[in-house]
């Protein structure tokens, strides 16, 4: 409720009202919130105040606006610890989300110098390029391009790529994916990425490159992933060294 005699600014009180509705699931992710007019009438406050509260919640990531449509409740970000080498499927399953995949393309390409060095093959060697959109509970999370040496991904088909490729190589060939090195950069969505992820060109994304290796130290994949920054949050445990 809103108390006009409270020392707390009214816009702040309205923010709390909306946040509470989200936390108690009276407003659900993806749902449109009531219009400015509804709030002004219900609480007898000015439009400016409503706008201020909504803008603050948009800036804090609780809400998002769709131009010409309205303001919606944002989906909670998935927290990803920066520790342990896990697959997308494992990451989503361990958080109770249903992973799914859209295979955009599986093709053979020739490794350029950079990829060849990373996969430890000769430049020009045929390798597999797999482009996929990864979804959690039907919502696009990431657009990934993975390069795999052919020897380690024999028999991989588009159908198999609909599920876990880590699972596929580990189960089919008895290989063990053991080490990984990853870099993460803040960036913005380019045209194709925006289309794949269902965001606008220029929206914030995390650009992640991973090189993972087998227990024999042989490189298994070079992966270029673009994660939606509004759906994904990286966390790290830290210990202060003496
Ligand atoms: C993550 C990594 C990718 C890796 C993928 C495997 O998304 N960023 O580098 O290829 O997991 O996931 P899955 O085994 O579910 O296909």
């Amino acid at each position: 409720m809103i108390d006009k005699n409270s020392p707390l600014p009214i816009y702040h009180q309205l923010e709390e009202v909306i946040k509470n509705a989200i936390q108690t699931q009276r407003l659900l992710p993806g749902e449109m919130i009531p219009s400015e007019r509804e709030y002004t009438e219900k609480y007898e406050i000015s439009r400016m105040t409503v706008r201020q509260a909504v803008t603050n919640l948009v800036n804090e990531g609780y809400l998002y606006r769709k131009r010409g449509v309205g303001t919606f409740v944002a989906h909670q970000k998935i927290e990803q610890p920066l520790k342990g080498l896990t697959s997308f499927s494992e990451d989503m399953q361990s958080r109770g989300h249903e992973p799914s995949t859209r295979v955009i393309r599986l093709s053979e390409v020739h490794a350029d110098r950079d990829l060849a060095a990373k996969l430890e093959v000769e430049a020009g060697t045929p390798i597999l390029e797999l482009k996929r959109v990864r979804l959690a509970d039907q919502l696009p999370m990431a657009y990934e391009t993975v390069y795999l040496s052919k020897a380690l991904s024999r028999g991989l088909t588009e159908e198999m790529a609909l599920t876990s490729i880590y699972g596929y190589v580990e189960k089919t060939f008895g290989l063990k994916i053991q080490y990984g090195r990853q870099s993460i950069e803040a960036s913005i969505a380019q045209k194709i990425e925006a289309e794949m992820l269902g965001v606008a060109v220029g929206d914030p994304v995390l650009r992640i490159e991973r090189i993972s290796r087998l227990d024999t130290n042989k490189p298994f994949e070079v992966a270029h992933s673009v994660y939606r920054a509004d759906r994904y949050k990286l966390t790290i445990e830290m210990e202060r060294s003496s």
Side-chain angles (χ1 to χ4, degrees):
M1 277 300 109
I2 295 212
D3 176 2
K4 290 193 179 144
N5 297 318
S6 160
L8 286 175
I10 296 175
Y11 70 81
H12 181 77
Q13 294 186 49
L14 182 59
E15 281 175 43
E16 293 303 312
V17 167
I18 300 174
K19 275 200 236 171
N20 183 268
I22 296 172
Q23 274 144 14
T24 55
Q25 304 197 328
R26 278 175 291 126
L27 281 174
L28 296 172
E31 193 179 321
M32 188 156 85
I33 65 162
S35 67
E36 276 181 13
R37 207 168 53 115
E38 284 173 67
Y39 282 122
T40 52
E41 284 171 6
K42 182 162 181 200
Y43 297 109
E44 298 178 330
I45 53 180
S46 76
R47 261 184 185 236
M48 280 279 285
T49 306
V50 178
R51 210 164 289 163
Q52 169 87 63
V54 170
T55 301
N56 289 351
L57 293 176
V58 168
N59 292 341
E60 287 170 37
Y62 288 97
L63 303 175
Y64 64 96
R65 289 196 171 102
K66 268 197 209 159
R67 210 177 271 267
V69 188
T71 306
F72 296 80
V73 179
H75 291 267
Q76 260 203 348
K77 289 186 181 182
I78 286 178
E79 290 196 21
Q80 175 69 39
L82 283 172
K83 207 166 87 181
L85 177 56
T86 50
S87 71
F88 181 84
S89 307
E90 290 164 344
D91 290 341
M92 296 309 133
Q93 273 154 0
S94 66
R95 285 163 192 72
H97 298 286
E98 173 85 32
S100 58
T101 300
R102 273 173 51 213
V103 176
I104 304 301
R105 197 170 68 225
L106 173 64
S107 50
E108 192 177 293
V109 296
H110 294 276
D112 62 17
R113 283 255 203 84
D114 179 58
L115 282 173
K118 288 173 177 162
L119 285 172
E120 296 176 7
V121 295
E122 297 280 321
T125 304
I127 55 173
L128 287 185
E129 179 189 70
L130 172 61
K131 289 184 177 285
R132 300 187 293 174
V133 179
R134 316 301 310 267
L135 305 97
D137 304 330
Q138 312 296 325
L139 294 170
M141 296 291 294
Y143 177 46
E144 300 198 300
T145 304
V146 180
Y147 297 95
L148 303 157
S149 88
K150 284 185 75 181
L152 299 178
S153 52
R154 272 192 319 276
L156 182 68
T157 61
E158 287 199 10
E159 206 185 338
M160 286 155 184
L162 285 171
T163 58
S164 170
I165 53 166
Y166 279 19
Y168 172 71
V169 296
E170 292 191 326
K171 279 186 214 121
T172 315
F173 304 122
L175 299 173
K176 179 95 184 81
I177 300 165
Q178 185 81 33
Y179 312 100
R181 188 182 167 83
Q182 190 160 285
S183 65
I184 302 157
E185 286 176 89
S187 183
I188 53 173
Q190 306 298 312
K191 189 161 181 292
I192 298 213
E193 296 162 352
E195 274 168 28
M196 296 293 164
L197 293 172
V199 297
V201 172
D203 274 1
V205 292
L206 297 168
R207 220 167 269 285
I208 303 183
E209 183 184 89
R210 176 186 291 187
I211 302 178
S212 59
R213 292 172 182 273
L214 302 178
D215 54 357
T216 57
N217 211 31
K218 211 171 172 27
F220 164 68
E221 69 170 337
V222 174
H224 295 156
S225 311
V226 184
Y227 276 80
R228 285 181 59 149
D230 63 338
R231 299 255 157 94
Y232 215 72
K233 180 179 185 172
L234 303 160
T235 60
I236 183 167
E237 298 286 330
M238 288 180 295
E239 199 177 330
R240 191 159 156 77
S241 52
S242 52

